[in-house]
């Protein structure tokens, strides 16, 4: 089954492929499917943004479409950066700039509890829509650790892995990550939907 990944983020495509390809899905990035659009994320929740992206791409293809919206939610910051995670330090900011802004806001703060949240949206060729969510809890370290991952991974310490996501292998991260859990939940929903 072919699924178009509604994203231009190569790291997200890789994670979706790593989880969905072994299950028998052919995951194709939207650009490889000839879909060259940038979708503005105007929703105030991860679910709304995932659906906005999936619906925009679904209008341009007859294939299944999968999209996600995800981000880091820090408790003491009232859930920020949240849906603004990618744009937290301004449009086009590097991962390092986003991390530096976050660490600056948490300077001197003891409670560094945080979680990564993800919502996956799937649109079927017949127009049916499914969503699934996942999250992983941890805390924000005072300085980056590790060379893997992307985004806030170097400062997000996973309680379950006892290391940052940037110190984890792809397999370790996928086994507990918010995106991995949301994709696993989506797979189960799709199986039930297709019975």
């Amino acid at each position: 089954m072919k699924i178009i990944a509604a994203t231009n983020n190569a790291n997200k495509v890789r994670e979706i492929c790593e989880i969905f390809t072994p299950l028998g899905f052919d995951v194709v990035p939207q650009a490889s499917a000839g879909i060259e659009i940038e979708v503005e994320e105007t929703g105030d929740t991860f679910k709304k943004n995932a659906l906005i992206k999936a619906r925009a791409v679904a209008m341009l293809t007859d294939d299944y479409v999968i999209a996600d919206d995800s981000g880091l939610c820090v408790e003491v910051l009232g859930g920020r950066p949240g849906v603004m995670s990618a744009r937290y330090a301004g449009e086009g900011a590097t991962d390092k700039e986003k991390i530096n802004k976050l660490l600056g806001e948490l300077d001197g703060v003891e409670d560094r509890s945080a979680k990564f949240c993800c919502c996956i949206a799937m649109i079927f060729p017949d127009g049916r829509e499914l969503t699934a969510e996942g999250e992983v809890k941890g805390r924000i370290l005072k300085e980056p650790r590790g060379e893997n991952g992307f985004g806030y991974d170097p400062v997000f310490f996973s309680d379950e892995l006892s290391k940052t996501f940037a110190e984890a292998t792809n397999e370790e991260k996928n086994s507990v990550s918010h995106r991995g859990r949301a994709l696993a939940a989506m797979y189960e929903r799709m199986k039930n939907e297709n019975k």
Side-chain angles (χ1 to χ4, degrees), residues 16-36:
I16 293 169
C17 284
E18 286 171 356
I19 292 165
F20 260 38
T21 301
L23 301 172
F25 297 95
D26 178 21
V27 181
V28 178
Q30 68 178 48
S32 298
I35 300 171
E36 302 281 344

Side-chain angles (χ1 to χ4, degrees), residues 3-66:
I3 300 179
I4 308 297
T7 181
N8 291 310
N9 183 320
N11 290 307
K12 286 186 178 184
V13 171
R14 179 183 48 77
E15 287 189 359
I16 293 169
C17 284
E18 286 171 356
I19 292 165
F20 260 38
T21 301
L23 301 172
F25 297 95
D26 178 21
V27 181
V28 178
Q30 68 178 48
S32 298
I35 300 171
E36 302 281 344
I37 61 169
E38 280 286 344
V39 180
E40 190 176 351
E41 299 173 25
T42 56
D44 58 0
T45 66
F46 296 119
K47 181 176 180 177
K48 287 178 184 175
N49 281 334
L51 283 167
I52 286 168
K53 290 186 269 192
R55 288 169 181 158
V57 171
M59 290 174 64
L60 304 172
T61 181
D62 293 327
D63 292 308
Y64 289 81
V65 174
I66 192 168

Side-chain angles (χ1 to χ4, degrees), residues 19-192:
I19 292 165
F20 260 38
T21 301
L23 301 172
F25 297 95
D26 178 21
V27 181
V28 178
Q30 68 178 48
S32 298
I35 300 171
E36 302 281 344
I37 61 169
E38 280 286 344
V39 180
E40 190 176 351
E41 299 173 25
T42 56
D44 58 0
T45 66
F46 296 119
K47 181 176 180 177
K48 287 178 184 175
N49 281 334
L51 283 167
I52 286 168
K53 290 186 269 192
R55 288 169 181 158
V57 171
M59 290 174 64
L60 304 172
T61 181
D62 293 327
D63 292 308
Y64 289 81
V65 174
I66 192 168
D68 97 311
D69 194 45
S70 52
L72 179 67
C73 302
V74 180
E75 207 167 290
V76 75
L77 299 179
R80 285 186 295 115
V83 294
M84 295 299 293
S85 291
R87 302 172 297 285
Y88 192 46
E91 287 293 338
T94 64
D95 289 346
K96 186 175 181 180
E97 289 168 335
K98 290 181 262 191
I99 287 171
N100 286 341
K101 175 172 171 130
L102 177 67
L103 294 181
E105 291 203 341
L106 292 176
D107 190 36
V109 175
E110 285 305 310
D111 179 8
R112 300 170 84 86
S113 304
K115 63 184 177 181
F116 269 123
C117 300
C118 176
C119 181
I120 298 285
M122 175 76 74
I123 299 185
F124 288 64
D126 63 10
R128 282 178 294 159
E129 297 180 349
L130 293 179
T131 60
E133 297 180 0
E135 67 177 44
V136 58
K137 294 184 177 176
R139 58 191 160 87
I140 304 302
L141 298 182
K142 294 183 178 176
E143 58 187 39
R145 284 187 357 204
E147 301 298 323
N148 301 327
F150 60 98
Y152 299 94
D153 287 356
V155 291
F156 182 79
F157 185 88
S158 164
D159 294 335
E160 291 167 85
L161 296 179
S162 296
K163 60 176 78 170
T164 70
F165 272 0
E167 294 173 303
T169 65
N170 290 343
E171 294 77 19
E172 287 173 327
K173 180 183 173 186
N174 289 343
S175 72
V176 302
S177 80
H178 51 306
R179 189 169 294 109
R181 287 176 170 158
L183 286 165
M186 176 58 72
Y187 177 64
E188 290 303 316
R189 293 207 63 193
M190 288 175 70
K191 279 199 309 189
N192 293 332

